[in-house]
Amino acid sequence: LARRSGAASAARPALSAGYRDRRELRRVYDEFLSRPDAAALVAEYDGRVVGFCDLLFLPRLNFAGPQGWIPDLVVAEDKRGRGIGAALLSRAEDRARDRGCWSVFLSSANWRTRSHGFYQREGWDQSGQCFSKSLTGEPWPPPPAGEKG
């Protein structure tokens, strides 16, 4: 499970879009960790946090049990391909099962084709399409690194 210390710094690059400063990000992160319908997982390697996964348990009106949602799965670029993402995803699935979830879902930007292959190798199905509409003008999903939205 996530600690209030290292996990926020590991996830900061991927999760900081839209936050003006670190204090605001820290406040949001701490509030997230206190939610009873949420979990945050970290992976460590040689004492360094190198992976982060957050999970929400969502009630669904059309199903008897909740559904798990993974908003973020982040692995340090220099540690990808070493099983860290798979371990975080597996642990998130276990946590969802423990909470009585009937499924888990996530979304991934169209351009993240390497991630799509990873999810499929981990036994996930591409089961639909995700639609979004920015209400603030921020591009969503974020464009690839180095590109403007």
Side-chain angles (χ1 to χ4, degrees):
L1 291 178
R3 300 177 314 272
R4 292 202 189 311
S5 57
S9 61
R12 188 171 290 118
L15 306 179
S16 62
Y19 291 102
R20 303 221 187 311
D21 62 46
R22 293 178 126 168
R23 287 182 306 246
E24 183 181 2
L25 177 58
R26 169 62 66 180
R27 180 188 58 75
V28 170
Y29 180 78
D30 287 344
E31 285 177 10
F32 181 85
L33 287 182
S34 68
R35 292 176 58 158
D37 64 341
L41 309 169
V42 296
E44 292 181 318
Y45 184 84
D46 286 340
R48 177 179 149 223
V49 175
V50 295
F52 175 82
C53 178
D54 52 346
L55 175 64
L56 289 163
F57 309 104
L58 306 175
R60 298 292 303 257
L61 296 178
N62 55 341
F63 289 93
Q67 185 176 28
W69 173 42
I70 298 174
D72 308 288
L73 175 60
V74 182
V75 175
E77 205 164 315
D78 66 329
K79 298 296 182 224
R80 292 180 184 165
R82 298 177 184 212
I84 295 167
L88 286 167
L89 201 55
S90 176
R91 183 66 180 121
E93 292 171 18
D94 291 343
R95 294 291 305 271
R97 274 188 209 91
D98 292 346
R99 289 288 295 259
C101 292
W102 60 274
S103 81
V104 182
F105 74 100
L106 55 77
S107 61
S108 180
N110 290 331
W111 59 267
R112 293 186 178 274
T113 55
R114 183 175 174 203
S115 296
H116 304 164
F118 162 74
Y119 296 128
Q120 290 171 336
R121 285 189 304 278
E122 294 304 311
W124 287 58
D125 296 318
Q126 185 176 359
S127 58
Q129 293 184 329
C130 179
F131 296 89
S132 64
K133 182 177 183 178
S134 174
L135 301 178
T136 63
E138 289 289 323
W140 189 259
E147 290 186 21
K148 296 262 184 201

